[in-house]
Amino acid sequence: MAATIVRSPKLSLSLPTPESTTSNLPSLNQSFFTPLPKRRRCISIYACTADDQSNSTFGGEIKKGQAIELNKVNDENPYEFNAKDSPNPLPRPLTSADLSNMAPEGSRLRVAYQGVRGAYSESAAEKAYPNCEAVPCEQFDTAFEAAERWLVDRAVLPIENSLGGSIHRNYDLLLRHRLHIVGEVKLAIRHCLLANNGVKIEDLKRVLSHPQALAQCENTLTKLGLVREAVDDTAGAAKYIAFSKLKDAGAVASLAASRIYGLNVLAQDIQDDSDNVTRFLMLAREPIIPRTDKPFKTSVVFSLDEGPGVLFKALAVFAMRNINLTKIESRPLQKQALKVLEDSVDGFPKYFPYLFYVDFEASMADQRAQNALGHLKEFATFLRVLGSYPSDSGIA
């Protein structure tokens, strides 16, 4: 049976105060940040597990203290680790504890992503910003925080997948942090079955990967009769297989992960559906200047009062101006008291407050978009522009 990891968030972050609905349209050129003083730290390789995950990580296979066997700690620098058998150290993902002491180094653009080296998010970061320094982060929260605190220049994070749907955590973090969407990038997800050198498919008894990756390869894995074990991410599964030198287990991960961790590719393109694409958002501290000479997309979030036809009225402000919506997502409005109506039974609310995230095909430099949001602001209880950015029509 698959064992699933659940990690507690490491950052305690509060929800920002919504803008007043009586002010002008949300501004795209506001700056909310002050640079922190520069410090430096050497980052090398990620220590695989924490003690509190000793009985759950990788399907219960790693026991307390076992991570120390995989990594040797450099006493001179407690934040530098060296792989036991690898001549080339790998960068350790940032954690929330790192954020107060790190600062950007060098002149290359530093781009945060969630995961370890070989993750699909790393490929997306390199597609979005060629020749960048991709900085791995342990959690989505850490990547947001790193960009917000000037520790990296950009962040590239997944927001939706064509098969698995929306990444709800990142929708919530978009509202919690004051970063701007400055672009999007779409990446074709092509899964491979990886194992250590000398291991054949018939030797495998189990396979490790992210739950969505396992689900996307269900038909192939069922035919092979493999037990599925869910872990945090695809590249992390490949890393664990390689470092543990397992002979009876494989990993579903990217081709890049096989090269990084020295694994053999037993099968390529094992996903059940070839139309498997993930959309990533490019985030920055400052917005870009919207233009009208190329296709642009704008993302907004708003909330409404309860009532018949209110959502219809909100969406009509775009339809009546011939603006196409490409995505709509609803999320519970967090940290707000539930509204209890007078005719509710036993104090239970009749409805819950929701936020609506909408993407539409228009630039904020377009008068139609400005008029639509001006109209929406007349009856929305909250409205915020998350970004106006060039749309990505190509898939790599």
Side-chain angles (χ1 to χ4, degrees), residues 58-80:
F58 300 106
E61 293 298 318
I62 295 180
K63 298 180 180 179
K64 184 174 285 190
Q66 186 173 345
I68 205 69
E69 297 174 8
L70 304 181
N71 304 291
K72 291 181 179 180
V73 180
N74 183 342
D75 292 334
E76 295 180 0
N77 188 343
Y79 300 98
E80 183 172 349

Side-chain angles (χ1 to χ4, degrees), residues 179-212:
L179 296 180
H180 301 267
I181 305 173
V182 295
E184 65 175 2
V185 60
K186 297 174 183 175
L187 187 74
I189 306 301
R190 302 178 63 184
H191 295 306
C192 300
L193 180 59
L194 310 180
N196 282 300
N197 293 325
V199 177
K200 299 179 181 179
I201 289 184
E202 51 266 29
D203 299 328
L204 299 179
K205 293 181 175 58
R206 57 199 177 100
V207 63
L208 285 66
S209 194
H210 187 276
Q212 278 201 12

Side-chain angles (χ1 to χ4, degrees), residues 91-157:
R92 175 180 66 84
L94 295 178
T95 66
S96 56
D98 295 324
L99 296 179
S100 61
N101 296 318
M102 277 202 62
E105 298 179 0
S107 57
R108 293 176 63 192
L109 195 68
R110 291 167 56 86
V111 181
Y113 69 93
Q114 187 275 329
V116 298
R117 285 208 62 202
Y120 290 107
S121 292
E122 182 184 34
S123 299
E126 292 171 346
K127 179 190 176 185
Y129 298 102
N131 302 317
C132 71
E133 179 188 350
V135 180
C137 296
E138 190 178 49
Q139 302 288 343
F140 290 131
D141 310 58
T142 316
F144 271 90
E145 189 96 338
E148 202 169 47
R149 294 191 182 184
W150 296 74
L151 308 179
V152 295
D153 304 294
R154 302 286 190 275
V156 174
L157 297 166

